[in-house]
Amino acid sequence: MASTINTTTGDALERASTPVKQHTDLKSGNEAAAMAARDIGYHIMGYYPITPSTEVAENLAQMSANAEHEICMVPGDGEHGAAGICYGASLGGGRVLNATSSQGLLFALEQLPVQSGTRSPMVLNVATRCISGPLDIRCDHSDIYFVLNTGWIILLARDPQAVYDLNFAAVKIGEHPDVRLPVIVAYDGFFTSHQKRRIEVFDDLDAVKAFVGEPNAPYTALDPENPVTFGPYMNDPDLINNKVQLSEAMEAARRVIPEVIAELAQLTGRSYPIMDEYRMDDADVAVVLMNSAAETAKEIADHYRQQGHKVGVLSPNMLRPFPAEHFRKALKNVKAITIGDRGDSYGADGGNLSLEVRAAIQQDTDNKTLVVTRIYGLSGKDFDDADAETFFDLALEAANKNKVNKPFAYHGAHAGVPDEHPPIGLPVIETEEVSRGMAKVTLNEKTNRLDVELEPFWAMPAVTNRIAPGHGACPGCGIFPILHQIYHVLEGDIVVLFQTGCAMVVTTGFPKTAHRITYIHNLFQNGAATLSGLVEMYHELLRRKELKNAKDITFLMMTGDGGMDIGMGPALGAAHRNHRMMIIEYDNQGYMNTGAQMSYSTPLGHRTSTSELGTATQGKRFHHKDTAQLFASCHLPYVFTAAEGYPEDLMRKVAKSQWYAKREGLTYGKILSFCPLNWRTKDDASMGVLQAAVDSCFFPLYEVEHGHTNITYDPDAIGRRVNAAEWLKQMGKTKHLTKPANADDLHRLEIEVERRWRRLKAMHEHPEL
Ligand SMILES: Cc1ncc(C[n+]2csc(CCOP(=O)(O)OP(=O)(O)O)c2C)c(N)n1
Ligand code: SF4
Ligand SMILES: [Mg+2]
C-alpha cells in the first residue's frame, strides 16, 4: 500500500482522521479493478480479452450475470474495435471503461491519440505485459512505454490496493473541467494483476458516488439541439494550437492529480504521493524503479541502511504527466542512482524512464547525480533481492568512484552463444514422404467441379506426420485429430502459418517445436495478410527464377474462431485479393487459449468466462457468426465447413481446397473442433457432441464450389435430425439451456438454426445460388 509520506515535495497527506467505512478483503489487482468499476458504475465497457488483463472483464461479466452492476459490456471484435467502442461511448457523455495489455494496447494504440485529441475522458486499466515478438505473456513495461506520446494520463499502481484506489481517482482526474483527458491505471501483469493481497474496500457507496460525482461532459454527440463536430479535418495552424491545449491540459493535470488524490485520501485514509520516496531524506544513492519491483528494492534498502549505507528508493506513482520536478527535487543531493527500465528504447541507451529522468535532472544545472541504467525483468523475469542488491551496489560504486563504468547494460541477461543451436529434432521430411496420393482430385468436365477419391483410412498413416508427437494440448482436444486429417491428404511441401490460439501455443515453446515443416506465427489479427505477402514473394521469386531449390509449395493458415474475429479484416482482404493460399479455421466456439471467453462464433446462450451464468443472464446474448457465409460472399473458388467427427467428408474438402488454392486462389474452411476443457465434457465425449451439433443442423456440413452450394451431409434426408437440446444437454457449458427457465433462449437459438438451415437448403437446391 503506497502510504509513504513524501517529505521532500509535500505531496503526501497525513492519514485522514475519519475515513469512510471500509472492510478488508483479499483481492488481486484485476479483481480490485473490477470491484472499483462496479462501485463507480460505469455506463459502458468496451473490451477484448488478453492475458493478464482479461480477468477484469471476466469478473465484471460474472457480476453482470448476477445483476451486481449495470455496466453495459460490449465485446469488441479486437482491441482496435474495443477502443473504437469506448471512444464512441465516451462521446455520448457517460462513463467508459476498458482493460487491456501488451499487443492489445498496441493494437488499440492508433485510437488513443484520437481520444485524447478530442478530450474525451475514460479509464483504461493496463495490466502491463511484454510485447511480441516472440510472443510472451508475462510482465514488463514495454507496452506502457508505447503509450507515452498519446496524450493519456498514466497513473502507476504498485499493488492491488493502489489499483482499487487509483481507479476512483482516475475518473475524477480525467473528468476535471481543466483536464478532460483519458486516464490509464497501469499495474504489473501477474505480479499485481494476479497476486492476491489484503485490500480495503468501500462499504459506503454513497460516499464513493459523492466523490466521483456526476459525469459532466460539456458537449456530447447525443444532443441534437446542440450539434457538435467531433474531429474535424484540421490544418496548420489550428492543429498545432489544438496540441497546445492538450499540452496545457496535461499541465493542469499536474495540479489536479494531487488535489484529487488528497480528496481521495480523506475518504480512504490512504495517500499516493506523486513520487513515492522511500528513505530518501538523506540518501547518497538511490534505485529508481516503477511499480512492483520498487517494493522489493525497499526491503533491500532497509538492509543496506542497517549496514550504514545511505540508500533510498524512488518510484513514481504517475508517469504522465512526467514528474520531472519531483525527480529534480528528490535527486538534488543524491550522488548516484541506478534506474531500472523494464523495457528498452532500443538504440537509445536506456528505456523511457531512464531517458526522462536523465532529461529532467539535466535541467538542474547544479545537479551532479550520476546515472546508471539497467534494463531488467523483461517478460516477467523476476526482480528479486539479489537484483536489488546489484542495483544498489552499482549506484554505490559510481558514487564512491565518482564515475560510471558502464552507463547502460542489460541486467541478468546475455545475447546467447552465436554457434550454439537448439538440438536438432526429427529429420527433415522429404517431399516424397508427404506426397502419397491419399486423395486423388480430378476435375469433372461435366459438372466443372472436383471429384475426390480417398484411399482407405488404414492407408493414411503412411504419410509422414508433419506434426511431431509431443504437444501440450488437453487430453481429447480436437485440434490434433483435425490437423492429422488435414495433413493426411495435403500433398507435398507445405508452409504453415498459425495465428495465436491453442493450436499455436501447444505446439511451440522455445527451443522446442512440434512442427516438422516451416512454421510461422503471427498475431491473430494479421496472419492472413502475412501469409499473403509470403505467397506473393514466392510467386515473384519463381517468376524471376531467383528461388534457390524451387519447390512446389502449398500455403496454409490455421486459425481459431477468435482469429476470425480480430483477424477478419485482413482475412477478408486476402480473400478479396484472392491469393493462392488456404485458410482453415478450427472452431471451438471461444477464445480457449486465454481461458474460454466468448468469441463471435460462440452460439447464443452458451456459457463462457465473459458470458457467465447468473441470476440475471444466462450465457451469450447474441447469435453465432456465420463465418463460412462471409467468405462465400467473397466469391472464392472454394469454401467449406467440416467437423472433426466426419473425417472422410473433411479430408475430401481439404483435398479440394488444396487443388483450388494452387490453381485458382484463396480457399476457406471452417471445422468444428472439440474442446473438452471449456465445453465442460468428458475428454472422450467428442463423437456424441459433434454428431449432435451436426444432426441438429446447428453446424451444417456443406461446400460452396465456384458459387454453388452443396450440402454434403443432410440429417433430414437420412432421418437423423435431432433437436438442438439433444446437442446442448451434452455439454456443461450449455446444460442450462435445456432447463425450463431458459426456454426462450433455446427457442431463439432453434429458430435461428432452422432459418439458416432452410436458407442453406434453398441455396443447395437452386442451380444459381
Ligand atoms: C491483439 C491481441 N489481443 C488479444 C490477444 C490474446 N489472445 C491470444 S489468443 C486469443 C484467443 C484465441 O482464440 P481462438 O482464435 O479462437 O483460438 P483458441 O484459443 O480457441 O484455439 C486471445 C484473446 C493477443 N494475443 N493479441
Ligand atoms: S483448451 Fe480446448 S482447444 Fe485448447 S488445448 Fe485444451 S481442449 Fe484444446
Ligand atoms: Mg477458439
Side-chain angles (χ1 to χ4, degrees), residues 296-377:
T296 308
K298 285 178 185 174
E299 283 179 30
I300 301 306
D302 290 343
H303 294 311
Y304 273 56
R305 282 268 173 182
Q306 280 161 14
Q307 292 162 20
H309 300 296
K310 289 186 179 173
V311 302
V313 180
L314 267 187
S315 69
N317 282 320
M318 168 181 103
L319 193 56
R320 279 289 178 274
F322 189 71
E325 186 58 30
H326 294 76
F327 272 112
R328 276 192 287 276
K329 280 188 184 157
L331 295 175
K332 204 154 198 56
N333 300 313
V334 174
K335 292 180 187 153
I337 54 175
T338 301
I339 306 179
D341 266 305
R342 216 166 198 156
D344 195 359
S345 178
Y346 302 96
D349 286 345
N352 293 84
L353 183 63
S354 289
L355 301 179
E356 298 198 12
V357 172
R358 285 188 227 150
I361 56 179
Q362 196 257 345
Q363 296 292 310
D364 175 1
T365 45
D366 294 334
N367 183 284
K368 301 274 183 297
T369 311
L370 297 167
V371 180
V372 183
T373 287
R374 289 294 179 266
I375 306 292
Y376 79 100

Side-chain angles (χ1 to χ4, degrees), residues 447-675:
T447 60
N448 199 29
R449 297 186 207 164
L450 300 179
D451 291 334
V452 182
E453 211 180 300
L454 282 184
E455 290 296 311
F457 287 171
W458 56 260
M460 301 280 180
V463 183
T464 302
N465 205 338
R466 295 172 179 94
I467 284 270
H471 54 71
C474 316
C477 175
I479 292 171
F480 287 88
I482 287 174
L483 273 175
H484 293 321
Q485 290 171 26
I486 293 170
Y487 281 161
H488 279 329
V489 289
L490 284 184
E491 282 281 286
D493 292 300
I494 317 273
V495 168
V496 71
L497 183 145
F498 277 44
Q499 296 207 117
T500 325
C502 273
M504 171 260 164
V505 170
V506 301
T507 53
T508 63
F510 186 81
K512 302 264 169 68
T513 176
H515 299 277
R516 297 188 62 195
I517 55 176
T518 297
Y519 157 96
I520 301 161
H521 163 249
N522 196 2
L523 298 145
F524 65 156
Q525 58 272 32
N526 219 12
T530 308
L531 196 62
S532 76
L534 184 64
V535 168
E536 293 314 311
M537 178 58 83
Y538 168 69
H539 290 294
E540 191 56 21
L541 290 174
L542 280 183
R543 191 180 70 76
R544 297 184 191 196
K545 299 193 175 29
E546 289 174 4
L547 194 63
K548 283 185 204 140
N549 307 324
K551 292 239 186 177
D552 184 11
I553 301 174
T554 302
F555 295 89
L556 166 66
M557 177 171 109
M558 292 297 300
T559 176
D561 49 309
M564 286 295 104
D565 289 342
I566 192 170
M568 188 47 116
L572 288 179
H576 285 122
R577 296 191 300 270
N578 203 25
H579 301 278
R580 278 170 276 174
M581 58 189 257
M582 303 166 66
I583 296 180
I584 293 187
E585 171 193 333
Y586 61 94
D587 175 8
N588 50 24
Q589 304 184 331
Y591 302 156
M592 297 316 181
N593 121 85
T594 40
Q597 298 81 29
M598 77 162 97
S599 78
Y600 288 7
S601 288
T602 306
L604 182 87
H606 285 221
R607 180 266 158 206
T608 70
S609 64
T610 46
S611 58
E612 278 288 1
L613 309 182
T615 49
T617 56
Q618 296 268 292
K620 191 185 171 213
R621 294 292 89 210
F622 57 96
H623 285 299
H624 55 290
K625 177 176 185 170
D626 199 343
T627 324
Q629 286 298 310
L630 284 169
F631 280 95
S633 69
C634 296
H635 304 285
L636 299 177
Y638 191 64
V639 170
F640 71 88
T641 64
E644 179 201 333
Y646 294 77
E648 203 176 318
D649 181 71
L650 187 156
M651 288 193 278
R652 276 180 205 287
K653 289 169 176 171
V654 170
K656 282 185 172 189
S657 271
Q658 184 177 29
W659 193 96
Y660 282 120
K662 287 174 84 83
R663 291 166 182 80
E664 297 190 9
L666 195 138
T667 64
Y668 164 83
K670 183 179 183 82
I671 303 178
L672 188 60
S673 175
F674 181 57
C675 172

Side-chain angles (χ1 to χ4, degrees), residues 110-128:
E110 175 269 342
Q111 286 291 291
L112 302 194
V114 175
Q115 178 119 15
S116 58
T118 50
R119 308 286 296 281
S120 311
M122 65 166 279
V123 176
L124 170 60
N125 280 276
V126 176
T128 59

